Amino acid sequence: MTVLRTVISGRRSPARTVCGTFAAWLVLAACFVQPARASDYREPAVDSVYAGLIREYTTDPQFLSPLVDHVPSDPNVPSPREFLGYIPGTPRQLTHYTKIKAYFEALAAASHNARLYTIGRSNEGKEMIVMLIADKAVLDDMGRYTGYTKQLSRPRVTSESRAEEIIEQARPIYYITGGLHSTETGPPEMLMELAYRLAVGRSHFIENIRERVITMITPVLETDGRERMVDWYNRYTKDHTDWEDMPPRTPPYWGKYVFHDNNRDGIQLSQPLTRNVARLFFEYHPQVMLDLHESVPFLYVSAGTGPYGPNLDPIVTSEWQWISNHEVAELTKFGMPGVWTWGFYTGWYPGYLLWWGNNHNSIGRFYETYGNAGASTIDREPKRKFAGKEVTSKQWYRPWPPHKKVKWSLRNNTNYMQSGVLVSLDFVAKNGKSLLYNFWKKGANAVERGRSKKPRAWIIPGDGQNNWELGYLVNNLRAQGIEVHRLDKTFTVGDDKYAKGDFVVRMDQPYRDLAKTLLEKQDFPEDAEFQPYDDVAWTLPLLYGVKADKIDDEAVLQAPMSPVESDVRIAGEKPKARRRAYLISASSTQKLIEARLMLGDIAVFAAEEAFKVGKRTYPVGSWVIPAVETPGLRDAVEGIAAKLGIDVYSSRSVPDVPKHNLDFPRLAVFHTWTYTQDSGWVRFTLDQANVPYTLINKDHLRDGDLRRHFDVILIPDLGRWFQPKQLVHGIDSKWGPMPYTASSEFKYHGLVDETDDLTGGMGFKGLGHLESFIEQGGTLITLGAGSLIPVELGLVRGVDRKKPSGFNNPGSVVRTLVTDKTSNILYGYDETPNIFRGNLPLFDVPKKYRSWKVLHYGIEPDKDDSEDEDEKKDTEKSKKPEPICISGFVKGEKHLKGKPAILEIKQGEGRVIIFSFNPMHRYLTHASFGLVYNAIMNWND
């Protein structure tokens, strides 16, 4: 170690390039990685019964490595077999979370090398846990080791020389998580066996890991979903082994609100699961995070095809390749086919849970193994394409492809996943000093980039903003660990003057790259070889409707400012005196609906024309609240100002302006039993605003009499693959009846919603009842793909779905134009709102129905019908149209131009409001929540 110590302690020139520094470390580290020998893996004492079961449940010897073909025996510590009565990977056997947690508690109680902690609770109150595994001496002194990684995370305080001293004493921390997606059932099983192996193993291989690495394990992230999934498997799919013909493999709900998108909450931090992991990260600052998933054969180790996020430090993308190629080589060496990297996923979107590592100068990684959504052994034929190539084809990144036909078991899955993790832990044990240095270096690079490169900062003005959304942006940035300051006095740059108290996000900070990623506009490469894996834009100021100015002038770093030390709440202006009326100016803030609900039965009116009181002009849609002798009214309006950040003014008289009463409707939110993702986000969004609603399903539509119970029915987005016939037919009735109700045997079902039979759809009977609801005066609001229901099932006429060739609109921010300035849906919005749109259905209407359009894509008005073709061509030549996409990527913008974003159609006594985008996407698109809330509050006006 003499050579390595000399290099670590030597001073480096600041001019040395990042890539050069990393390359030197990589070469140096490789010199000290000694290849493991077969004898290194063997345990002095082995549980022969356990080893026999491993071989029995593995369907082919190729699917087993010398790392996991046996398990150590310890007379004082219970193995999973001894505690559970079976081993992980046993056919037809899944373990409930309560039992998994109990095993980790037993392991911690019996082993000196394992400690268990609670990291928080789930939405439904279950404890989430993390186990730390290392030598006892390390665990006894964890405060010192977490102190080391905390110091390395602060490069402005910790100099390079001090970092080098710390690295000599520190241990790299590796955080492994499983069970995020509930149908991916293998990781929680495997992690019990891995934890036991790491805690009690006595082989040279395991002892080296335990001595040199602090391993953290959270066996189940989605605790609520795990319980539901195990019940579901035992209730419905355990006896089905035909992969192409079986009941649905997943329960309708995982968590209380979110389904698969629990891995898309890393930007908004809306769910307890995400917040718990974030807090844990800041306590331990792990150098590697590995999230275990299942979807592709046999083991994919993440590196991504690109394009990579443009603000990622090149060190981390090099580390992805470094570690993943090592894993592919090692498992292939063991004779295990189907281990590969690169050709799956991109590396662009920063909102995954594992990206908490990449966003905070660590390494975020994931595995995908081949899972059967349960514990049954099933004959499978891998046929999917990734990166344009069959998954069973040989490629440079897949040197030994998976078999074209395979009998696949849960134990096979366990073997692959655990072998990969052990190889990865061994890699970190042997290269820990390099990884610790890189962790510090990435933060130091970020600080230096913030000082030497543009932009130098973002300034978020306080004046002219929606107060709640402004505070939410600042608080969300701080929750990400991003430093936010406030100006101590005015600051001028160019022609712009910023006031004392305006917020500043400096770029000379360790998480500069993340701050830049969240605040800037995204530019997804048009020439990207492969389709985006997820959204390609997430610019928070645009999504929140908050103005944030990019500042290139380095003088901003010298401006007097003070750090924001706690969450901010920006109060609105309170009315100055008791008058005849209270007034609230129309705005796009989402908090107006909460304000209406806080006022309860007090009459609130929306002005149908702009009006002026004193020197203040109130736009159309502004509120007039007559100050009648109502107990508690004054306190209520002051509470609106204080709690919701809404300015409330008073008037000596009730303005004489046309207005209508904002009477709150009886609201229903519809969900299907096959896709609850976006209905969950809608429910979460409504619950955050304290909006009352009734959750309904196909049974309610079939029963009818909807208008007697509801005034508004909201149908959320139903996913990009939704076909309206799915709503009519539902789950194939041949599998029925399938109750989703709680019982003594399946106590975790029936939560969120319940039904006596999941199968079947609403049928044409339900469609007729939905039509009657509208005809009788109800308002139907449909979002995203949910809008296919009125369009393609015939509830409205004259609206057509368009499927233009060459059009591609992955999640991006686009411009729109208000086409009906009288529409109450647009109250409080300016003439050209920015909205977020993904690859959802695109609609159009004939010219004679243009009046139905409330909002359309692009900011150019429709051409006058009387304008002849020559005039149109001349106009197009003389003026280059403004781009529609302002953050992200839209291919074929011409197909989007002028198409309706929102349609409002009168139907009988009621109306249908159609959104061709999802204004409530993942609790991210706060600026467009108000569009839906306006439609709800003005439902009958």
Side-chain angles (χ1 to χ4, degrees):
M1 293 299 291
T2 305
V3 177
L4 182 58
R5 186 174 295 112
T6 301
V7 174
I8 291 175
S9 61
R11 300 295 297 170
R12 293 171 182 79
S13 167
R16 177 171 291 187
T17 65
V18 171
C19 294
T21 301
F22 177 68
W25 271 89
L26 187 58
V27 171
L28 189 61
C31 297
F32 295 94
V33 177
Q34 298 298 322
R37 298 164 297 182
S39 60
D40 292 338
Y41 310 139
R42 305 313 302 177
E43 292 286 345
V46 173
D47 184 334
S48 58
V49 174
Y50 204 125
L53 293 172
I54 291 173
R55 289 192 296 272
E56 178 184 347
Y57 301 151
T58 301
T59 63
D60 189 311
Q62 284 186 322
F63 303 152
L64 190 57
S65 80
L67 298 178
V68 299
D69 63 359
H70 63 286
V71 166
S73 177
D74 189 305
N76 301 312
V77 182
S79 71
R81 179 182 71 83
E82 293 165 328
F83 185 86
L84 301 172
Y86 55 87
I87 73 168
T90 298
R92 297 167 55 83
Q93 187 69 61
L94 288 181
T95 311
H96 276 99
Y97 174 66
T98 49
K99 194 77 171 182
I100 294 172
K101 179 172 174 284
Y103 176 68
F104 274 82
E105 290 169 343
L107 180 59
S111 173
H112 296 301
N113 300 324
R115 305 282 167 83
L116 191 67
Y117 302 95
T118 298
I119 65 173
R121 291 187 178 270
S122 70
N123 254 317
E124 294 176 358
K126 295 182 182 65
E127 278 190 332
M128 292 176 61
I129 59 174
V130 65
M131 173 163 277
L132 272 63
I133 303 174
D135 280 348
K136 180 180 181 298
V138 174
L139 295 179
D140 287 343
D141 204 9
M142 273 303 297
R144 180 162 68 97
Y145 289 100
T146 57
Y148 288 151
T149 54
K150 185 175 183 179
Q151 289 180 68
L152 293 176
S153 75
R154 299 178 173 181
R156 288 171 304 180
V157 176
T158 305
S159 67
E160 185 166 14
S161 60
R162 175 56 183 150
E164 292 161 354
E165 294 172 359
I166 290 171
I167 289 167
E168 283 295 286
Q169 306 169 70
R171 297 285 190 281
I173 300 176
Y174 198 136
Y175 183 32
I176 305 165
T177 55
L180 181 60
H181 290 157
S182 300
T183 48
E184 298 165 14
T185 53
E189 305 287 336
M190 184 280 288
L191 287 169
M192 288 187 285
E193 184 173 295
L194 175 71
Y196 172 76
R197 187 186 302 277
L198 292 175
V200 307
R202 289 293 179 266
S203 69
H204 174 73
F205 182 84
I206 295 297
E207 287 188 332
N208 188 56
I209 292 172
R210 199 166 53 233
E211 177 187 345
R212 300 188 180 191
V213 181
I214 299 168
T215 303
M216 299 169 57
I217 297 175
T218 293
V220 182
L221 286 164
E222 180 47 86
T223 57
D224 305 327
R226 176 68 183 189
E227 304 291 42
R228 284 195 259 275
M229 180 60 199
V230 175
D231 271 1
W232 183 268
Y233 174 71
N234 291 331
R235 192 173 195 173
Y236 291 123
T237 62
K238 192 173 192 173
D239 297 321
H240 294 272
T241 58
D242 184 344
W243 186 254
E244 304 300 329
D245 188 26
M246 64 167 58
R249 302 183 190 102
T250 176
Y253 296 100
W254 294 350
K256 179 178 180 180
Y257 293 110
V258 292
F259 196 74
H260 195 270
D261 271 358
N262 59 13
N263 197 24
R264 307 295 191 278
D265 190 46
I267 295 175
Q268 59 274 51
L269 299 175
S270 68
Q271 303 302 307
L273 182 161
T274 321
R275 295 195 297 271
N276 291 341
V277 171
R279 282 194 299 268
L280 187 71
F281 180 93
F282 287 135
E283 182 176 351
Y284 290 94
H285 294 95
Q287 281 62 64
V288 186
M289 294 179 68
L290 176 65
D291 198 18
L292 302 175
H293 289 266
E294 296 175 355
S295 69
V296 301
F298 291 141
L299 171 62
Y300 170 79
V301 292
S302 64
T305 61
Y308 293 158
N311 295 314
L312 286 169
D313 192 297
I315 293 178
V316 75
T317 55
S318 298
E319 288 169 324
W320 292 349
Q321 320 303 327
W322 185 26
I323 302 175
S324 64
N325 280 291
H326 174 77
E327 291 162 343
V328 172
E330 287 297 293
L331 267 67
T332 301
K333 179 182 73 178
F334 292 142
M336 304 179 78
V339 184
W340 54 291
T341 186
W342 187 77
F344 176 71
Y345 158 80
T346 52
W348 177 265
Y349 180 68
Y352 308 112
L353 190 68
L354 66 96
W355 266 66
W356 198 262
N358 298 323
N359 291 335
H360 295 88
N361 301 324
S362 296
I363 307 169
R365 314 180 64 237
F366 68 94
Y367 284 175
E368 297 282 353
T369 47
Y370 210 29
N372 290 338
S376 301
T377 301
I378 299 177
D379 291 326
R380 301 286 300 275
E381 295 184 29
K383 291 181 179 179
R384 292 177 62 188
K385 285 186 175 182
F386 300 97
K389 304 293 183 182
E390 293 286 348
V391 73
T392 54
S393 67
K394 186 174 183 179
Q395 306 294 334
W396 67 263
Y397 51 88
R398 192 165 45 234
W400 189 2
H403 306 326
K404 293 185 178 181
K405 292 185 178 181
V406 62
K407 182 180 287 294
W408 195 254
S409 69
L410 180 60
R411 186 63 217 187
N412 295 349
N413 186 26
T414 298
N415 295 340
Y416 269 82
M417 196 184 314
Q418 188 173 185
S419 296
V421 172
L422 287 168
V423 165
S424 188
L425 286 168
D426 179 62
F427 178 91
V428 173
K430 292 171 177 174
N431 295 281
K433 294 186 185 302
S434 297
L435 294 170
L436 286 163
Y437 177 80
N438 290 351
F439 176 63
W440 175 86
K441 182 64 175 174
K442 284 177 280 191
N445 289 344
V447 173
E448 179 57 31
R449 279 192 288 271
R451 291 169 178 163
S452 61
K453 294 181 179 296
K454 300 175 182 179
R456 272 30 186 258
W458 262 265
I459 295 183
I460 309 169
D463 191 37
Q465 308 265 33
N466 288 329
N467 288 334
W468 190 88
E469 283 78 2
L470 170 60
Y472 184 80
L473 174 59
V474 170
N475 294 337
N476 192 9
L477 293 172
R478 293 189 65 257
Q480 297 276 352
I482 295 168
E483 299 166 0
V484 182
H485 290 72
R486 298 190 87 160
L487 289 173
D488 291 333
K489 62 180 183 179
T490 58
F491 171 73
T492 301
V493 54
D495 296 330
D496 298 316
K497 187 174 183 179
Y498 296 95
K500 177 182 178 181
D502 285 352
F503 296 96
V504 183
V505 183
R506 303 170 62 106
M507 291 296 100
D508 57 341
Q509 60 171 299
Y511 301 145
R512 171 261 186 195
D513 299 338
L514 174 59
K516 185 171 182 287
T517 293
L518 297 179
L519 294 171
E520 73 180 359
K521 296 178 181 179
Q522 281 69 55
D523 184 16
F524 188 82
E526 292 186 18
D527 59 352
E529 185 177 359
F530 304 110
Q531 287 290 314
Y533 192 73
D534 211 277
D535 293 343
V536 297
W538 47 82
T539 310
L540 294 191
L542 295 178
L543 296 184
Y544 294 177
V546 174
K547 185 177 184 289
D549 296 335
K550 184 171 64 172
I551 309 298
D552 290 338
D553 193 333
E554 61 186 341
V556 69
L557 300 179
Q558 307 305 318
M561 62 184 75
S562 301
V564 177
E565 302 286 3
S566 60
D567 280 355
V568 299
R569 171 176 285 181
I570 305 169
E573 185 171 333
K574 295 181 180 180
K576 290 185 171 61
R578 290 185 184 276
R579 300 282 174 82
R580 296 290 303 278
Y582 298 110
L583 308 176
I584 296 176
S585 184
S587 75
S588 60
T589 179
Q590 62 186 282
K591 287 299 173 178
L592 282 174
I593 196 167
E594 197 166 345
R596 179 63 194 91
L597 290 163
M598 286 176 66
L599 291 169
D601 294 333
I602 297 168
V604 179
F605 297 91
E608 295 173 351
E609 295 177 2
F611 62 94
K612 191 171 184 179
V613 174
K615 296 181 179 180
R616 184 171 287 107
T617 298
Y618 294 83
V620 61
S622 295
W623 290 10
V624 178
I625 308 167
V628 294
E629 294 299 324
T630 303
L633 174 56
R634 175 78 183 191
D635 291 340
V637 295
E638 289 187 351
I640 287 169
K643 179 181 177 183
L644 307 180
I646 296 173
D647 295 328
V648 183
Y649 305 101
S650 57
S651 172
R652 296 181 185 277
S653 61
V654 178
D656 183 14
V657 61
K659 50 187 176 289
H660 59 260
N661 188 13
L662 291 178
D663 51 329
F664 207 83
R666 298 167 299 167
L667 174 65
V669 175
F670 174 77
H671 77 95
T672 71
W673 289 111
T674 55
Y675 182 84
T676 61
Q677 180 82 280
D678 288 289
S679 65
W681 282 121
V682 166
R683 288 188 296 107
F684 177 78
T685 304
L686 295 176
D687 284 350
Q688 295 305 295
N690 300 307
V691 175
Y693 61 90
T694 301
L695 186 63
I696 64 173
N697 58 56
K698 62 180 176 66
D699 299 338
H700 298 84
L701 298 188
R702 282 200 299 226
D703 291 344
D705 207 12
L706 297 169
R707 187 66 187 91
R708 186 162 74 91
H709 300 289
F710 308 114
D711 302 309
V712 176
I713 295 177
L714 173 61
I715 299 181
D717 185 22
L718 291 170
R720 58 186 298 187
W721 294 282
F722 172 69
Q723 299 179 39
K725 65 181 181 181
Q726 295 171 337
L727 188 61
V728 176
H729 298 307
I731 298 170
D732 196 332
S733 297
K734 75 177 184 179
W735 304 117
M738 293 180 69
Y740 188 69
T741 52
S743 67
S744 58
E745 188 176 3
F746 307 112
K747 61 182 180 180
Y748 297 106
H749 287 180
L751 297 171
V752 183
D753 198 7
E754 62 179 4
T755 180
D756 292 330
D757 187 7
L758 288 157
T759 69
M762 71 173 182
F764 291 106
K765 183 178 179 182
L767 183 63
H769 290 150
L770 200 55
E771 181 180 40
S772 297
F773 166 78
I774 301 166
E775 295 287 341
Q776 294 167 9
T779 294
L780 178 67
I781 304 172
T782 60
L783 312 181
S787 296
L788 288 172
I789 294 170
V791 172
E792 295 202 338
L793 293 182
L795 292 178
V796 296
R797 296 177 181 271
V799 184
D800 296 317
R801 183 181 184 182
K802 298 296 180 182
K803 298 181 180 180
S805 176
F807 176 66
N808 185 18
N809 181 192
S812 300
V813 183
V814 298
R815 301 181 184 196
T816 63
L817 178 70
V818 173
T819 52
D820 180 1
K821 296 181 181 179
T822 67
S823 173
N824 47 43
I825 299 172
L826 276 301
Y827 282 171
Y829 285 82
D830 63 27
E831 201 170 342
T832 56
N834 301 315
I835 63 99
F836 182 90
R837 190 183 194 283
N839 270 317
L840 293 169
L842 190 62
F843 304 119
D844 204 1
V845 292
K847 292 180 181 179
K848 62 180 178 179
Y849 295 138
R850 276 184 182 172
S851 61
W852 294 349
K853 288 202 299 184
V854 173
L855 189 73
H856 79 196
Y857 297 112
I859 59 173
E860 296 180 24
D862 287 325
K863 300 296 182 183
D864 189 334
D865 292 347
S866 63
E867 188 178 1
D868 63 35
E869 290 301 316
D870 289 337
E871 289 176 338
K872 290 180 182 179
K873 290 178 181 178
D874 290 340
T875 302
E876 291 169 359
K877 287 179 182 178
S878 63
K879 182 180 180 182
K880 185 178 179 180
E882 293 281 345
I884 295 176
C885 180
I886 57 173
S887 184
F889 168 69
V890 176
K891 181 180 179 181
E893 281 196 355
K894 64 180 181 181
H895 299 297
L896 193 58
K897 180 182 176 182
K899 299 297 190 297
I902 304 176
L903 290 163
E904 182 177 3
I905 303 169
K906 180 75 174 175
Q907 194 85 357
E909 295 299 315
R911 62 176 177 162
V912 179
I913 300 172
I914 293 172
F915 288 78
S916 68
F917 62 99
N918 182 6
M920 291 182 157
H921 178 66
R922 294 176 177 167
Y923 200 63
L924 263 172
T925 53
H926 294 264
S928 59
F929 291 175
L931 298 169
V932 180
Y933 292 157
N934 278 342
I936 292 171
M937 289 190 291
N938 295 277
W939 69 277
N940 59 347
D941 301 295

